Amino acid sequence: YLRPAMEAENSLVLVALEGELVVGYSYSFIVEPSSLNKRERYGNIHDMFITTQYRRKGIANIMFSEITNWFHSNNINRVELDVITQNQGASSFWEKLGFKDLNRTLYRQI
């Protein structure tokens, strides 16, 4: 899943380590305009995960800063991401960084 992203020029994969232990990672990429997507290029934070015992230690903030710097270096001025509504911790984290609702995804089990 992440190997192609690690090798692509339009994506950034970060790994947080505590010694040799992986305690978190993030995967971000640049979305190019298409015939269906008339918007300008923008960045997408696809994944950011920190293991439970390492949360609230500033790791996600450091990752977000690195991601933002990478987007800026690629002339990206807009960032989007999806967060599961029931994940209050993640929702709160992103809202504190200034993210707001853009659209809503509805679902139904069938």
Side-chain angles (χ1 to χ4, degrees):
Y1 164 66
L2 288 175
R3 176 86 46 209
M6 293 168 63
E7 296 169 356
E9 289 184 26
N10 70 338
S11 65
L12 175 69
V13 176
L14 300 175
V15 178
L17 300 171
E18 176 69 29
E20 293 191 16
L21 178 67
V22 174
V23 299
Y25 82 97
S26 68
Y27 167 38
S28 304
F29 57 91
I30 297 170
V31 179
E32 299 289 344
S34 70
S35 58
L36 296 175
N37 176 5
K38 300 289 187 194
R39 301 183 304 183
E40 64 185 50
R41 294 173 43 168
Y42 66 93
N44 183 280
I45 300 174
H46 189 273
D47 291 327
M48 183 182 288
F49 177 79
I50 309 297
T51 58
T52 305
Q53 69 187 53
Y54 285 89
R55 291 178 187 163
R56 300 190 176 276
K57 297 184 185 292
I59 296 170
N61 284 314
I62 293 168
M63 280 189 169
F64 180 69
S65 179
E66 290 294 321
I67 293 165
T68 302
N69 289 338
W70 180 73
F71 282 143
H72 278 134
S73 73
N74 284 282
N75 298 314
I76 300 296
N77 298 311
R78 178 187 179 88
V79 180
E80 295 183 12
L81 57 86
D82 293 319
V83 62
I84 296 171
T85 307
Q86 290 83 1
N87 187 339
Q88 290 299 317
S91 293
S92 177
F93 172 78
W94 293 116
E95 288 168 2
K96 286 178 186 173
L97 290 173
F99 284 81
K100 299 178 176 25
D101 288 340
L102 175 63
N103 46 314
R104 215 171 56 147
T105 300
L106 304 177
Y107 78 99
R108 176 181 154 198
Q109 297 294 110
I110 58 170

